[in-house]
Amino acid sequence: MISLIAFDLDGTLAESKQPLKDTMGEALADLLAVANVAVISGGDWPQFQKQVASRLPARADLKKLWLMPTTGTKLYTHKGSDWQVVYAELFSDDEKTKILEAFDASLEATGFKPEKTWGERIEDRGSQITFSALGQEAPIAEKEHWDPDFAKRKVIQADLRTRLPELSINMGGATSIDITQKGVDKAYGLKKLRDASGIPLEQMMFIGDAIFPGGNDYPAKELGLETVRVKDPDGTLAAIAGIVACLK
Ligand SMILES: [Mg+2]
């Protein structure tokens, strides 16, 4: 018997970085009436608040909703009238300093210092540090032609790996590099959810748009969960309607 449905966010519940549509908010409220629901994604809490928490109708049973920013290194649940942190695995100040110094040294050593940048280049998400080569506010057109084939970032990544061998260093969006503790992926987040909720993995189902080898939802399948691969949020709406009909 399935008692918890876990979802990826971008490309699954919403378009990339966009708020849930009203129809999705209503569908999740229907689902929360019959099951626990979790959302797990690489974005940080402010992004979850904007995309998910603020988009659910008043009737949604928030007690059964588990929100897992930064790939499950943080967990938020709704207690009383507010969202509260259950846990957050943060880098220590020493680790952070070391990471920032490594970035500086790496850019210097590899020579990939762009002439122009837009906004902050380093985003500290507590348990994940994200480097955006051109800055977080860089125009999409600039981002698209900076490193379309990952060639520059592969060089920076290789250099960073020698400086920070104990951490996980991966290429993210168009210009970014993410640094996390080793072993952090959606399978890691789902195991943390099992421990925090007491719901066994056999009772969880995972729905995402990147359930294929190399996709960031694939670890959920490798962990042995029942999975449903969707193409887009419309596919997710159809899947939710089917699950609600079965569980009700
Ligand atoms: Mg996705």
Side-chain angles (χ1 to χ4, degrees):
M1 176 77 176
I2 295 295
S3 61
L4 182 145
I5 323 294
F7 294 89
D8 161 55
L9 178 49
D10 286 338
T12 298
L13 290 177
E15 301 300 337
S16 180
K17 305 215 169 171
Q18 298 305 305
L20 298 194
K21 290 200 171 135
D22 291 344
T23 45
M24 188 61 79
E26 296 294 338
L28 288 181
D30 291 344
L31 187 57
L32 282 163
V34 296
N36 281 270
V37 170
V39 182
I40 178 165
S41 154
D44 202 357
W45 175 245
Q47 199 61 33
F48 267 70
Q49 229 172 354
K50 190 180 101 188
Q51 284 183 269
V52 184
S54 64
R55 299 291 303 150
L56 297 168
R59 68 185 175 94
D61 184 359
L62 301 179
K63 289 191 305 297
K64 291 197 291 197
L65 184 57
W66 308 78
L67 297 181
M68 308 194 80
T70 47
T71 319
T73 57
K74 296 179 190 169
L75 171 63
Y76 284 72
T77 56
H78 200 263
K79 294 243 170 62
S81 60
D82 216 351
W83 290 97
Q84 289 183 2
V85 187
V86 178
Y87 66 77
E89 297 170 349
L90 307 178
F91 279 125
S92 69
D93 288 342
D94 280 356
E95 282 172 313
K96 245 184 246 177
T97 309
K98 222 181 133 194
I99 292 168
L100 300 186
E101 284 170 359
F103 266 124
D104 284 341
S106 217
L107 290 174
E108 198 66 54
T110 58
F112 288 125
K113 273 200 163 172
E115 314 83 88
K116 187 164 165 41
T117 58
W118 292 260
E120 291 293 320
R121 301 173 80 196
I122 302 278
E123 186 188 355
D124 178 0
R125 297 180 178 174
S127 47
Q128 177 177 313
I129 294 194
T130 296
F131 164 77
S132 306
L134 301 181
Q136 288 176 54
E137 276 109 61
I140 291 182
E142 295 285 343
K143 286 203 217 179
E144 278 172 351
H145 70 240
W146 185 70
D147 192 26
D149 52 0
F150 299 94
K152 290 179 181 147
R153 276 173 297 164
K154 276 183 192 157
V155 175
I156 300 172
Q157 181 189 39
D159 182 87
L160 275 172
R161 281 183 171 157
T162 66
R163 295 174 198 276
L164 302 168
E166 70 286 9
L167 297 175
S168 166
I169 298 161
N170 287 300
M171 292 176 272
T175 64
S176 59
I177 295 177
D178 296 327
I179 298 199
T180 58
Q181 299 286 3
K182 275 218 162 108
V184 172
D185 60 18
K186 290 192 186 181
Y188 170 90
L190 289 163
K191 284 188 271 182
K192 301 281 298 183
L193 177 62
R194 168 198 62 199
D195 298 343
S197 66
I199 297 170
L201 296 175
E202 300 74 55
Q203 292 181 22
M204 295 184 188
M205 175 187 275
F206 184 89
I207 299 180
D209 69 326
I211 306 175
F212 49 80
N216 68 358
D217 295 326
Y218 196 64
K221 191 179 175 77
E222 289 177 302
L223 187 60
L225 261 60
E226 294 293 337
T227 57
V228 177
R229 180 178 170 186
V230 294
K231 231 179 82 194
D232 52 30
D234 281 341
T236 305
L237 282 176
I240 293 174
I243 294 165
V244 170
C246 287
L247 291 181
K248 148 163 117 183

